[in-house]
Amino acid sequence: MTGVDISAGSIVTSSEAAVGMLEEAEHPVMVLGSDGITTALAEAGIGVTDDPMQARALLVGLDWDLSYERLTRAADAVRAGARFIATNTDPTYPVPGGLLPGGGAMVAAVQATTGVIPEVAGKPHRPMRELLRARGIGAAWIIGDRVDTDIALAAAEPDWTSIL
């Protein structure tokens, strides 16, 4: 697109919104997800643990390296009292030629095995809207492929317009 700024700093992620939800008492954090979450945590100076008994929060998103062991540790962390935060609940991840399980599938597995409903950071939820406002986003065009997240984000804010 001509005239659209996609330089560093102009992209806002659900991982950043999730990290922004954390209180200092909720460190260290366990991650069931990929590099976007661990990078956002590192940039915020927040430590990560693989020990479910040490984790004060669990951040879950799309995990390309999901294993039964990692899923078990994540569920154990929530059962031990860790705050359960989902970067997003997208059930699918579109790729050329089809759909893969999305971050929401990983979230659903933890939810099903713990009975705990996660707080959701990403579109269209409040943490993402607050992060966008904090970054100075006023009137905006929201472009996306999901009515339930991308378009719902635009619908939640009076100055925002969506394109599907």
Side-chain angles (χ1 to χ4, degrees), residues 8-147:
S10 66
I11 297 172
V12 179
T13 70
S14 59
S15 294
E16 293 169 323
V19 169
M21 295 172 66
L22 295 169
E23 303 291 332
E24 190 166 330
E26 295 170 325
H27 306 174
V29 174
M30 179 176 277
V31 175
L32 184 66
S34 297
D35 292 343
I37 299 173
T38 55
T39 298
L41 286 164
E43 288 174 355
I46 299 173
V48 174
T49 184
D50 286 330
D51 183 343
M53 297 304 123
Q54 288 184 359
R56 299 293 167 250
L58 170 70
L59 270 54
V60 180
L62 183 61
D63 191 327
W64 296 105
D65 298 315
L66 182 65
S67 69
Y68 194 77
E69 178 185 347
R70 293 186 68 223
L71 178 58
T72 300
R73 283 197 320 264
D76 286 346
V78 173
R79 284 192 287 267
R83 183 179 179 191
F84 181 13
I85 300 174
T87 61
N88 70 82
T89 54
D90 294 350
T92 57
Y93 183 83
V95 295
L99 297 172
L100 300 177
M106 286 88 197
V107 171
V110 174
Q111 182 176 342
T113 59
T114 64
V116 176
I117 297 170
E119 298 172 63
V120 183
K123 303 171 286 185
H125 300 279
R126 180 188 49 77
M128 178 58 86
R129 294 193 319 267
E130 288 177 354
L131 178 58
L132 289 167
R133 291 284 183 204
R135 297 253 178 113
I137 304 296
W141 286 85
I142 306 297
I143 301 169
D145 61 350
R146 299 187 72 93
V147 172

